[in-house]
């Protein structure tokens, strides 16, 4: 079958084009961007409107709160409506999931922000509700993995809710918000050096391999496929699971388990899970666990046996493979052979979702990268440049002055031939932190208890300064990108006229 055509089922799409619904949305969103640029005093024609993507890295609750503070300042600066795509990985997706619960959140961000902060300062999800949710995941899907457990028992500790909306439930094609893209990686592809496309994106319309151009409708991602057709429908994953899927490495406990999964530590953490469920039962029944009836005992046994197997085999993010047994020469053969695939935190390979916006068909002119990393402030952008070079994807050269590697500034611009301009903004830097840079890093390590009100407020303020302090620089770079497009279009017109 031609790579430019849909499969007969109408659900699997093999093509290096945008989904038609995304194309329609982008056209409408560009009109909004055009109007916003006019208000900011940046004048251009509608064809010269730049495609701007806001990329946000991982970093647990640091990334979640940091993104919220950054968006608030982008809104105040009048720049939020200039963003076409909002793409996240790992902890930043926790913020995205909260935002997109509210239709047109970008038009009422102050209200939405207050609602999110109130929830983060509120009570944790009860053990009873968590146990009910875990059972639902177990019984309603063919495949159960540690991601289900992680989402219910860990993610809820930070986001303070069980979000059962789905991505397609959330999205309205008439939305006034940037187009959201969540990213993960294919674990098997990461291990297979011959398979170049590890990058997997999930949008309101499609889920699939960014560079290969193989997609399935988001509502069908996770269903059982064979030869491009649905064999058995599975429920669409909800937003709680999606947050767990995108951020499976944010815990030091998980890292320790991974290093020592064949020793007594597995039993130790298995016992932790067992104790948590016993607590759930106490809450549900207001009695000693020994008084449980046989049916509950059976349920516990079934679920814990499955969890034990997942720990022993280290099964994370397992889903049915929608490309299973298809015959398409444009797709790497490794993606066609296995009935299931395992998906995990993209931060294991690159802590920023560059490859989703580097798809040629998205025509991105300017990337604004908010880096919420706590260690090397330039690791993600350097890695992106290196990986793009390996795969012959246009990307600007990244050169960091040696004296700034450990003491980053708050604004970097990288430009290259036929490549998008990349603005890189490290969260903690010598401009907003002064001589207390290391103190800020130590106060906001990735693995710690949920933030209190003060930690949330302080982090939002420090992240917001990276935007407010650089408003004019952002406007200058947007203007420069427009001028670059204008010159390119003029030269193309002259070339066409000459022939």
């Amino acid at each position: 079958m031609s790579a430019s055509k849909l499969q007969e089922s109408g659900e699997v799409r093999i093509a290096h084009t945008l989904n038609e619904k995304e194309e329609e949305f982008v056209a409408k969103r560009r009109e909004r961007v055009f109007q916003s640029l006019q208000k900011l005093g940046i004048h251009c024609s509608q064809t010269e409107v730049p495609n701007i993507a806001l990329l946000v890295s991982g970093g647990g609750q640091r990334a979640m709160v940091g993104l919220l503070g950054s968006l608030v300042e982008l809104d105040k600066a009048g720049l939020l409506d200039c963003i076409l795509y909002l793409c996240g990985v790992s902890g930043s997706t926790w913020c995205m999931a909260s935002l997109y619960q509210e239709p047109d959140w970008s038009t009422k961000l102050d209200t939405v922000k207050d609602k999110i902060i109130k929830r983060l300062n509120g009570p944790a999800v009860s053990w009873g509700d968590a146990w009910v949710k875990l059972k639902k995941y177990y019984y309603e899907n063919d495949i159960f993995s540690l991601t289900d457990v992680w989402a219910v028992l860990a993610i809820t500790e930070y986001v303070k809710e069980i979000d059962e909306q789905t991505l397609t439930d959330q999205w309205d094609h008439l939305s006034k918000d940037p187009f959201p893209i969540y990213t993960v990686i294919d674990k098997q592809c990461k291990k297979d050096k011959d398979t170049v496309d590890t990058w997997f994106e999930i949008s309101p319309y499609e889920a699939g391999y960014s560079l290969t151009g193989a997609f399935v409708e988001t509502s069908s991602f996770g269903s059982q496929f064979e030869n491009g057709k649905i064999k058995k429908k599975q429920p669409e994953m909800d937003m709680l699971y999606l947050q767990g899927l995108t951020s499976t490495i944010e815990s030091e406990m998980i890292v320790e388990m991974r290093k020592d999964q064949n020793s007594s530590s597995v039993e130790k953490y298995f016992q932790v899970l067992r104790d948590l469920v016993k607590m759930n039962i106490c809450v549900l029944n207001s009695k000693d666990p020994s008084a449980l009836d046989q049916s509950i005992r059976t349920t516990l046994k079934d679920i814990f046996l499955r969890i034990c197997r997942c720990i022993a085999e280290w099964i994370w993010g397992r889903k049915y493979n929608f490309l299973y047994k298809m015959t398409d020469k444009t797709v790497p053969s490794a993606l066609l052979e296995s009935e299931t695939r395992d998906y995990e935190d993209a931060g294991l390979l690159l802590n920023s979702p560059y490859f989703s916006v580097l798809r040629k068909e998205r025509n991105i002119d300017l990337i604004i990268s908010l880096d919420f990393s706590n260690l090397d402030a330039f690791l993600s952008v350097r890695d992106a440049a290196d990986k793009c070079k390996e795969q012959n994807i246009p990307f600007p050269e990244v050169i960091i002055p040696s004296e700034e590697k450990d003491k980053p500034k708050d604004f970097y611009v990288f430009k290259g031939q036929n490549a998008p301009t990349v603005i890189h903004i490290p969260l903690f830097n010598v401009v907003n932190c002064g001589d207390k840079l290391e103190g800020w890093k130590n106060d906001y390590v990735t693995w710690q208890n949920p933030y209190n009100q003060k930690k949330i407020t302080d982090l939002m303020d420090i992240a917001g300064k990276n935007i407010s302090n650089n408003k004019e620089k952002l406007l200058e770079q947007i203007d420069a990108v427009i001028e670059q497009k204008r010159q390119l279009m003029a030269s193309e017109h002259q070339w066409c006229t000459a022939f």
Side-chain angles (χ1 to χ4, degrees):
M1 177 169 286
S2 169
S4 63
K5 294 181 180 179
L6 297 178
Q7 296 295 322
E8 292 180 0
S9 66
E11 287 148 347
V12 174
R13 189 173 74 93
I14 310 295
H16 287 287
T17 59
L18 292 184
N19 179 283
E20 289 183 4
K21 292 181 180 178
E22 182 180 337
E23 283 185 337
E24 292 172 4
F25 173 81
V26 166
K28 293 176 182 176
R29 179 70 183 177
R30 281 172 56 84
E31 292 176 8
R32 191 174 185 86
V33 174
F34 174 75
Q35 295 169 2
S36 298
L37 292 173
Q38 305 304 305
K39 292 178 182 178
L40 290 166
I42 297 178
H43 300 290
C44 63
S45 67
Q46 289 188 329
T47 55
E48 293 166 349
V49 170
N51 288 349
I52 303 174
L54 181 65
L55 303 194
V56 283
S57 79
Q61 57 184 333
R62 184 179 60 249
M64 179 186 189
V65 176
L67 174 55
L68 188 59
S70 302
L71 290 171
V72 168
E73 289 303 319
L74 283 169
D75 188 32
K76 290 179 181 178
L79 290 165
L80 184 53
D81 278 342
C82 297
I83 304 300
L84 182 60
Y85 289 97
L86 175 56
C87 307
V89 59
S90 207
S92 62
T93 65
W94 304 353
C95 181
M96 291 172 60
S98 295
L99 292 169
Y100 285 92
Q101 287 179 7
E102 299 284 344
D104 299 332
W105 60 264
S106 59
T107 67
K108 49 187 175 184
L109 186 53
D110 273 344
T111 301
V112 174
K113 173 204 68 176
D114 291 342
K115 183 177 179 180
I116 293 173
I117 293 174
K118 181 179 179 180
R119 190 186 76 229
L120 295 181
N121 282 313
V125 171
S126 72
W127 294 119
D129 289 344
W131 173 239
V132 169
K133 184 60 180 174
L134 188 63
K135 287 198 297 182
K136 188 174 182 180
Y137 280 155
Y138 178 80
Y139 286 111
E140 291 187 357
N141 294 275
D142 286 0
I143 302 175
F144 184 81
S145 76
L146 292 175
T147 301
D148 298 275
V149 182
W150 172 248
V152 171
L153 298 184
I155 301 300
T156 57
E157 283 292 299
Y158 297 101
V159 302
K160 303 289 185 69
E161 67 173 348
I162 294 175
D163 187 351
E164 294 190 304
Q165 279 189 309
T166 66
L167 195 51
T168 54
D169 285 339
Q170 279 189 349
W171 185 249
D172 182 342
H173 72 285
L174 298 176
S175 173
K176 297 176 182 178
D177 304 318
F179 190 77
I181 301 175
Y182 300 77
T183 56
V184 294
I185 55 174
D186 182 306
K187 182 178 179 179
Q188 287 92 332
C189 287
K190 184 183 69 170
K191 292 181 177 180
D192 185 355
K193 295 181 180 179
D194 295 328
T195 304
V196 295
D197 192 2
T198 306
W199 317 101
F200 195 92
E201 63 181 64
I202 304 168
S203 82
Y205 298 130
E206 289 184 323
Y209 295 87
S210 302
L211 303 184
T212 297
F215 305 97
V216 68
E217 294 172 359
T218 300
S219 59
S220 298
F221 175 54
S223 291
Q224 186 176 17
F225 278 76
E226 188 169 326
N227 193 25
K229 298 179 181 180
I230 286 185
K231 185 176 179 180
K232 183 180 181 182
K233 183 70 176 176
Q234 298 285 292
E236 180 180 353
M237 64 181 175
D238 61 22
M239 295 308 296
L240 175 61
Y241 182 89
L242 178 57
Q243 291 171 85
L245 187 69
T246 58
S247 54
T248 49
I249 64 162
E250 298 289 9
S251 165
E252 290 177 2
M253 181 187 81
I254 298 301
V255 174
E256 183 178 342
M257 285 177 66
R258 186 66 184 97
K259 290 179 179 177
D260 200 19
Q261 59 181 295
N262 295 317
S263 71
S264 60
S265 66
V266 171
E267 178 58 31
K268 178 174 67 175
Y269 290 115
F270 178 71
Q271 185 61 46
V272 170
L273 294 173
R274 187 195 304 275
D275 291 342
L276 289 175
V277 174
K278 285 183 178 179
M279 292 175 67
N280 295 341
I281 296 168
C282 289
V283 172
L284 288 170
N285 298 279
S286 299
K287 60 179 70 173
D288 187 86
S290 62
L292 296 173
D293 60 40
Q294 189 60 42
S295 63
I296 294 180
R297 289 177 182 273
T298 301
T299 299
L300 281 173
K301 180 180 178 181
D302 289 345
I303 293 180
F304 274 118
L305 283 175
R306 185 75 68 87
I307 291 174
C308 192
R309 179 195 162 208
C310 290
I311 291 174
E313 298 182 15
W314 205 245
I315 300 173
W316 286 90
R318 182 159 294 178
K319 292 288 185 183
Y320 283 121
N321 178 15
F322 62 87
L323 297 171
Y324 180 54
K325 287 190 175 180
M326 287 182 63
T327 54
D328 194 301
K329 294 181 179 179
T330 66
V331 178
S333 59
L335 292 177
L336 308 174
E337 295 167 356
S338 59
E339 188 173 13
T340 61
R341 309 292 297 183
D342 294 347
Y343 303 97
E344 59 188 10
D345 190 334
L348 285 166
L349 196 57
L350 179 63
N351 199 30
S352 192
Y354 278 99
F355 283 90
S356 292
V357 299
L358 289 173
R359 286 174 56 185
K360 289 182 180 179
E361 53 269 31
R362 288 203 166 113
N363 296 311
I364 298 300
D365 302 297
L366 176 62
I367 293 173
I368 302 174
S369 172
L370 304 181
D371 196 305
F372 300 116
S373 301
N374 194 41
L375 299 175
D376 187 339
F378 304 104
L379 180 61
S380 64
V381 69
R382 288 200 312 266
D383 280 356
D386 291 343
K387 294 181 188 305
C388 284
K389 187 174 182 180
E390 291 173 3
Q391 300 188 34
N392 296 316
I393 296 173
F395 196 88
E397 187 177 7
V398 175
I399 299 177
I400 309 297
S402 58
E403 67 274 13
E404 296 177 20
K405 289 181 179 179
D406 295 323
K407 295 183 178 180
K409 294 182 179 179
D410 62 346
F411 197 87
Y412 293 86
V413 180
F414 306 109
K415 298 186 178 185
Q417 190 71 23
N418 300 318
T421 296
V422 175
I423 295 173
H424 182 75
I425 301 178
L427 172 60
F428 298 130
N429 54 75
V430 296
V431 178
N432 64 2
C433 298
D435 59 1
K436 298 180 180 179
L437 179 60
E438 292 305 315
W440 277 96
K441 289 182 177 181
N442 292 334
D443 285 344
Y444 288 93
V445 295
T446 300
W447 179 243
Q448 59 179 286
N449 292 330
Y451 297 160
N452 57 28
Q453 175 69 56
K454 185 179 187 306
K455 287 184 77 74
I456 291 173
T457 301
D458 289 350
L459 185 57
M460 287 186 63
D461 286 346
I462 205 80
K465 286 180 182 179
N466 288 330
I467 304 300
S468 59
N469 289 344
N470 293 295
K471 177 182 176 180
E472 295 305 317
K473 292 181 181 179
L474 287 164
L475 291 173
E476 288 174 8
Q477 292 305 318
I478 293 174
D479 202 27
V481 167
I482 292 172
E483 180 59 30
Q484 186 178 1
K485 289 191 74 170
R486 186 177 291 132
Q487 292 179 5
L488 179 61
M489 292 170 65
S491 63
E492 288 177 347
H493 177 73
Q494 290 177 355
W495 187 86
C496 291
T497 302
F499 287 90

